[in-house]
Amino acid sequence: MDLKLFFNEAVKRGLVQLVRRKIYYIMMVVAPLLCSLFLLSLMDGGSVTRVPVGVVDLDQSSLSRNIERNLAAMQGVHIIKHYDTYASAEAAVQSGEILGFFLMPADLERSALNAESPKVSYYINYAYFSPASSQYRGFKTVSVLANGGIVKTVLDATGLVDGETVSNVLQPIASHAHALNNPWANYSYYLNASFVPCFLALFILLITSFSIGAELKYGTCREWISSAGGSMGFAIFGKMWPHTLIFTITGWTIQLIMYRIYGMPLNCNPWNMIIAMFLFVLANQAFALLMMCIVPNFRYGATLCSLFGMLSFSFCAFSIPSETLYPWINALGHIMPVRYYFLLSIDQALNGIDLYYSRVYYAALIVYPLLPLPLLGRLKHECLNPIYI
Amino acid sequence: MIIKNITQWFHDLAHVWVRECWLVLHEKGAIIFFFVLCAIYPLLYATIYNPEIVRDVTVVVVDDDRSQESRELCRQLDATPEVCVVAYAADMQEARRMMNEKRCYGIVHVPREYSTSLSRVEKADIDVYCDMGVLLRYKQIVTAVTNVQQHLTSEIQAAKMAAVTTAGAIIESEEVPLGNTAMGLASAVLPCILMLVLQQSMLLGIGTLHGGSRERRLANRGHDPMEVPAGVTSTVIGKALCYVFMYAIPMVYVLYLVPKFFDFPQNGRLLEVLTFTIPFLLASAMLGQVLKIFVNDRESAFIALAFTSVIFVFLTGISWPRCAMNSFWLAMGNMIPSTWAANGYISLQTGGATLRQVEINYWMLWLLVILYFVLACIVEYYLCRPRWRRMRHYAKRDAGALMREEYRRQAVDILE
């Protein structure tokens, strides 16, 4: 009987706290949704096209103009200016006006027809990675085409081979790259599969540590425990479950936006991801709770949580393959729930393979809520014997 | 009279500056953000990205041809720095299973007719299947396969058409990387992150100081014993100058020494870099005094401001380039000091530009200083000061009112 009363009291207190502080509305619903929409709408284009580049044509021949026309037809680059010299083009790259340029040397046509192997070169600013690869693709294709065009003319003229085999001689081996389940190499589909959940994880970590830490800071933790009848379990449950509910709904909304509005690949049974989101929210709450149990102090606990939350964007191997990272950083990445959610979403949402292969990731997410249990006593002790700073 | 006002203004300014410096050095949170964070974060990020280049992405080969030519292809593939052939699979099923088990991230399939096609001067196809979970792996696999393909092509052509062409291509082509000549990942990402660290740590520190001031008011019936009675402009400018002053050492450390430690591109001249950074720090200090309005206590600075770092990083265009952003996000990016600062710093430090070449960024930063100075004055005059007046007003009527309100928000009252 008493148990039920205390349980109700704990839940009621948790709810009232939630609705009285503006920070909860903003950080649990508004900010995660806005951040997700920000990333998704920022990269809505999918792949980087029309990178501003320049052309330095020192030859001014029909061949060089032909090459330039081909370049202008490329999707990845957009010629915005012509430069007379290498130096002026390089200066434009330095000032950020263009991100690269294509240089055709003087006497290009004459040397080519004399078989003197002239060299065209393309200069790419590698300070910006994704436009660099768009440029590389465009420049490289144009150079290969230019060479092919000349060779084809020469071969045709010699009459050694007939027209049909000319292209086979030019390209005896053709490689076909199949980008599985993301054939457009869509940058948004790739990056947002990890960054959007990572944002949500950051908010869960911050809010969980904040709500527990605030009790410690304002010296209200004694009332917190006593309202739950001295049971740490009830106290935590009463505080946490409204968060779980709200974050899960926010998470599902984000999934809806990702998979249904922005059309990111969802090749598995949708329930696999829906359940994963619930487990993900729980796992992150548990992670923050664990941090607060280890460091039962508002400032240090919250600092630790936000440190991990911010760094997980980098050390969870979203953009660098995990095997490339230093082993100890890779290991550190594996303590974050978002790492498992990310791997799971590649397996399920992107590749749609059997659940069997993702069993470890689901299991990891399920294990997180058990981790803080042995340490709850430590937090309770700290709450009942607070040190006022 | 005017002269007296002016001297008074400068007197206030100096007073605010001295007091704020004292506060910064006596507030643990501010010290952590201003100095410790600036000292540690760049090292952490640099260490994470330090491997720079992705090598040896694991692939398996399904060789249905089993000929000398197909083995040569696989040998050359394995010899590239980008990929590493970990196994031969009997068929596509087995290869697929290995991919699902994450033992490889790519499958190279050589069809049965490969060598026959080559000898018949027909087109020989090879298929490459890549996992798209991490884009860099895909990029490395494709690069390796393309390079091997081109190398084999020129070998074959040289053998078949020695009569026509001398050595491979008639028009040769070459790629020349500019700025980040090693094409390293850390060298590309870090300069941007370094600027962001300066800006975000300053925003967080200013938020913490503001939270501290509010907490002192809670405890002192709405009065902050540390407050200097001064006008709005002298308060805002005095505080901003104090923050910029505090960053004198972190600035040199983050922008000059850290690139030295990790051997990032260092083509900038120190004096120009520092000249460029001054308006940036000033703009950040002003922006911080605008955003501090969202911070209520020392600890919520983190919650209210930490996540903006990721957004600001994306707005600089280091990941998704600015040339591909829509005009709304471009405009948003233009409003943030770090956008101009990071791109300018990349030009200076990585590209070796002179200050004159990035003068647009430089003057835009000064424009932002003015913009956020005006906004900071508005925040101070119309939001902060009336709020403090209200606090004093309530406290005068009922001494416990302020603390009771804090407890009410913690839901302690429902127990009574």
Side-chain angles (χ1 to χ4, degrees):
Chain A
M1 187 55 221
D2 264 4
L3 228 54
K4 203 175 160 191
L5 186 77
F6 287 134
F7 182 78
N8 287 342
E9 204 58 42
V11 170
K12 188 173 154 197
R13 189 168 186 276
L15 279 174
V16 170
Q17 223 169 39
L18 203 59
V19 295
R20 279 190 184 163
R21 293 204 73 163
K22 242 189 314 198
I23 195 162
Y24 289 117
Y25 298 111
I26 296 171
M27 291 296 144
M28 296 173 83
V29 182
V30 181
L33 288 178
L34 280 185
C35 289
S36 311
L37 282 174
F38 164 70
L39 286 178
L40 288 162
S41 84
L42 185 76
M43 298 170 218
D44 199 19
S47 56
V48 180
T49 53
R50 296 178 68 78
V51 176
V53 298
V55 168
V56 184
D57 183 358
L58 301 175
D59 193 33
Q60 302 284 354
S61 61
S62 70
L63 174 65
S64 71
R65 274 194 296 276
N66 197 14
I67 293 176
E68 192 196 314
R69 265 198 300 280
N70 282 337
L71 189 62
M74 287 286 145
Q75 189 190 15
V77 296
H78 175 48
I79 303 170
I80 59 165
K81 212 171 167 184
H82 293 78
Y83 299 90
D84 295 333
T85 57
Y86 167 83
S88 59
E90 197 205 4
V93 171
Q94 281 180 332
S95 65
E97 195 182 338
I98 51 174
L99 287 167
F101 58 92
F102 195 84
L103 186 138
M104 290 175 275
D107 292 335
L108 173 70
E109 189 174 50
R110 195 174 58 82
S111 313
L113 295 178
N114 288 345
E116 288 169 3
S117 297
K119 191 183 263 179
V120 295
S121 29
Y122 37 98
Y123 296 77
I124 298 175
N125 185 358
Y126 266 89
Y128 301 91
F129 250 64
S130 37
S133 47
S134 293
Q135 288 177 71
Y136 176 76
R137 223 173 301 138
F139 290 149
K140 178 101 187 171
T141 314
V142 164
S143 329
V144 171
L145 279 178
N147 182 48
I150 294 266
V151 173
K152 191 168 185 313
T153 317
V154 173
L155 285 179
D156 276 343
T158 56
L160 284 175
V161 281
D162 63 77
E164 217 170 277
T165 38
V166 164
S167 74
N168 291 344
V169 172
L170 283 178
Q171 199 192 26
I173 303 172
S175 65
H176 308 281
H178 305 270
L180 295 174
N181 300 308
N182 184 1
W184 321 272
N186 187 313
Y187 197 70
S188 168
Y189 292 176
Y190 141 72
L191 198 75
N192 289 330
S194 54
F195 270 56
V196 170
C198 201
F199 249 131
L200 184 65
L202 175 67
F203 287 115
I204 300 175
L205 295 181
L206 287 174
I207 283 297
T208 308
S209 60
F210 177 80
S211 68
I212 296 173
E215 302 276 3
L216 291 166
K217 171 167 177 171
Y218 292 109
T220 53
C221 39
R222 232 185 272 250
E223 288 87 342
W224 176 38
I225 307 276
S226 68
S227 75
S231 154
M232 197 64 200
F234 279 179
I236 292 287
F237 183 82
K239 193 183 258 308
M240 290 293 144
W241 84 263
H243 294 201
T244 315
L245 189 72
I246 296 174
F247 274 126
T248 310
I249 292 174
T250 308
W252 286 337
T253 315
I254 289 172
Q255 287 187 325
L256 191 78
I257 296 172
M258 283 164 73
Y259 297 123
R260 284 291 172 259
I261 298 179
Y262 279 91
M264 288 175 62
L266 180 65
N267 293 319
C268 63
N269 184 341
W271 283 105
N272 295 358
M273 291 310 291
I274 292 173
I275 291 168
M277 177 53 79
F278 174 68
L279 295 176
F280 175 61
V281 170
L282 273 185
N284 276 299
Q285 288 186 302
F287 184 85
L289 183 60
L290 182 69
M291 289 293 130
M292 293 308 288
C293 287
I294 294 171
V295 194
N297 171 302
F298 188 8
R299 197 172 298 172
Y300 300 127
T303 306
L304 214 56
C305 279
S306 62
L307 185 74
F308 274 116
M310 291 300 302
L311 282 179
S312 52
F313 282 100
S314 301
F315 69 39
C316 281
F318 298 147
S319 40
I320 311 176
S322 52
E323 63 270 16
T324 305
L325 292 172
Y326 293 129
W328 62 273
I329 290 177
N330 191 17
L332 212 58
H334 278 89
I335 69 170
M336 303 304 298
V338 67
R339 172 95 188 119
Y340 299 100
Y341 181 84
F342 167 59
L343 292 172
L344 181 154
S345 73
I346 293 177
D347 275 3
Q348 296 302 317
L350 181 68
N351 290 333
I353 59 178
D354 285 343
L355 269 178
Y356 169 80
Y357 295 109
S358 320
R359 63 198 185 281
V360 180
Y361 311 141
Y362 279 100
L365 289 181
I366 292 170
V367 167
Y368 273 104
L370 307 176
L371 294 179
L373 294 183
L375 288 169
L376 277 182
R378 187 175 149 83
L379 184 61
K380 184 177 178 183
H381 178 80
E382 198 68 25
C383 286
L384 294 178
N385 310 286
I387 309 158
Y388 293 104
I389 309 169
Chain B
M1 185 64 190
I2 294 169
I3 292 173
K4 198 180 161 213
N5 274 347
I6 291 173
T7 40
Q8 181 62 37
W9 189 87
F10 277 104
H11 181 260
D12 285 351
L13 184 78
H15 202 166
V16 169
W17 185 83
V18 171
R19 178 58 56 83
E20 199 66 17
C21 290
W22 190 90
L23 279 173
V24 169
L25 297 176
H26 288 79
E27 167 76 69
K28 232 194 249 166
I31 291 181
I32 288 180
F33 287 133
F34 281 3
F35 303 112
V36 181
L37 201 125
C38 283
I40 295 176
Y41 251 54
L43 301 183
L44 265 175
Y45 275 105
T47 315
I48 292 175
Y49 288 103
N50 205 32
E52 294 265 14
I53 289 166
V54 179
R55 293 187 196 282
D56 283 339
V57 177
T58 51
V59 298
V60 298
V61 171
V62 180
D63 185 356
D64 284 340
D65 194 37
R66 303 272 169 177
S67 62
Q68 191 194 338
E69 285 82 359
S70 71
R71 279 193 293 275
E72 177 62 24
L73 172 81
C74 300
R75 262 199 302 279
Q76 291 206 5
L77 205 57
D78 197 18
T80 61
E82 289 91 3
V83 307
C84 160
V85 176
V86 284
Y88 279 80
D91 52 20
M92 280 306 283
Q93 259 93 13
E94 191 191 344
R96 198 63 217 262
R97 194 160 54 242
M98 289 171 84
M99 200 174 196
N100 289 346
E101 284 164 356
K102 324 289 179 300
R103 284 164 66 193
C104 68
Y105 295 96
I107 302 171
V108 177
H109 180 227
V110 185
R112 196 179 293 277
E113 322 74 54
Y114 179 71
S115 56
T116 330
S117 305
L118 276 185
S119 49
R120 282 184 186 157
V121 200
E122 289 169 6
K123 197 161 279 179
D125 297 293
I126 48 175
D127 287 295
V128 185
Y129 301 88
C130 306
D131 178 72
M132 294 298 282
V134 174
L135 222 51
L136 267 180
R137 285 198 189 109
Y138 161 74
K139 200 179 151 215
Q140 295 305 82
I141 294 174
V142 170
T143 307
V145 171
T146 313
N147 286 342
V148 168
Q149 176 201 345
Q150 272 172 2
H151 182 234
L152 287 175
T153 298
S154 52
E155 268 183 5
I156 292 165
Q157 283 176 347
K160 286 228 168 76
M161 325 185 294
V164 191
T165 58
T166 42
I170 290 185
I171 298 181
E172 292 183 1
S173 62
E174 127 185 90
E175 181 194 20
V176 186
L178 290 175
N180 175 11
T181 44
M183 297 198 240
L185 199 63
S187 308
V189 178
L190 250 289
C192 173
I193 289 185
L194 294 180
M195 275 297 185
L196 251 299
V197 166
L198 287 180
Q199 175 183 291
Q200 292 306 107
S201 61
M202 189 183 267
L203 297 187
L204 287 166
I206 296 172
T208 310
L209 287 167
H210 179 76
S213 156
R214 184 174 171 279
E215 283 176 11
R216 282 194 297 276
R217 286 173 200 276
L218 281 179
N220 290 302
R221 301 181 171 198
H223 292 279
D224 180 2
M226 291 296 155
E227 192 190 23
V228 175
V232 172
T233 50
S234 50
T235 306
V236 170
I237 295 178
K239 285 184 177 177
L241 288 180
C242 156
Y243 306 138
V244 175
F245 173 72
M246 287 294 158
Y247 268 71
I249 293 168
M251 166 169 88
V252 176
Y253 168 80
V254 169
L255 298 181
Y256 183 69
L257 290 180
V258 170
K260 259 196 167 19
F261 295 162
F262 288 89
D263 204 17
F264 297 142
Q266 308 155 44
N267 304 317
R269 281 150 289 257
L270 178 64
L271 205 65
E272 287 192 349
V273 169
L274 296 186
T275 315
F276 179 75
T277 315
I278 300 269
F280 165 61
L281 288 177
L282 212 54
S284 305
M286 296 296 181
L287 177 63
Q289 294 191 67
V290 177
L291 294 181
K292 71 178 183 183
I293 196 69
F294 298 110
V295 178
N296 272 331
D297 35 24
R298 284 201 190 93
E299 289 79 3
S300 54
F302 243 137
I303 301 202
L305 299 175
F307 75 97
T308 57
S309 320
V310 185
I311 292 183
F312 293 162
V313 168
F314 274 95
L315 285 178
T316 61
I318 193 71
S319 174
W320 180 258
R322 272 168 70 79
C323 60
M325 283 182 199
N326 64 31
S327 44
F328 176 74
W329 293 122
L330 267 183
M332 290 299 281
N334 288 346
M335 303 279 289
I336 310 298
S338 57
T339 307
W340 298 104
N343 287 303
Y345 180 64
I346 290 171
S347 286
L348 287 172
Q349 191 72 298
T350 310
T354 57
L355 193 56
R356 181 157 287 281
Q357 282 177 296
V358 293
E359 64 180 351
I360 297 177
N361 301 46
Y362 184 72
W363 292 116
M364 280 308 289
L365 283 170
W366 278 111
L367 201 67
L368 289 182
V369 172
I370 296 169
L371 172 74
Y372 286 118
F373 165 67
V374 173
L375 283 179
C377 288
I378 292 173
V379 164
E380 179 76 15
Y381 187 77
Y382 288 102
L383 295 172
C384 287
R385 297 199 170 182
R387 195 179 276 182
W388 305 150
R389 272 200 295 278
R390 273 200 303 279
M391 277 173 86
R392 285 197 293 272
H393 178 69
Y394 289 133
K396 204 177 277 173
R397 290 214 306 226
D398 175 3
L402 298 179
M403 275 328 277
R404 231 186 2 265
E405 172 60 17
E406 285 297 297
Y407 281 119
R408 194 190 71 83
R409 297 204 302 169
Q410 278 302 111
V412 176
D413 58 338
I414 62 161
L415 300 171
E416 288 159 4

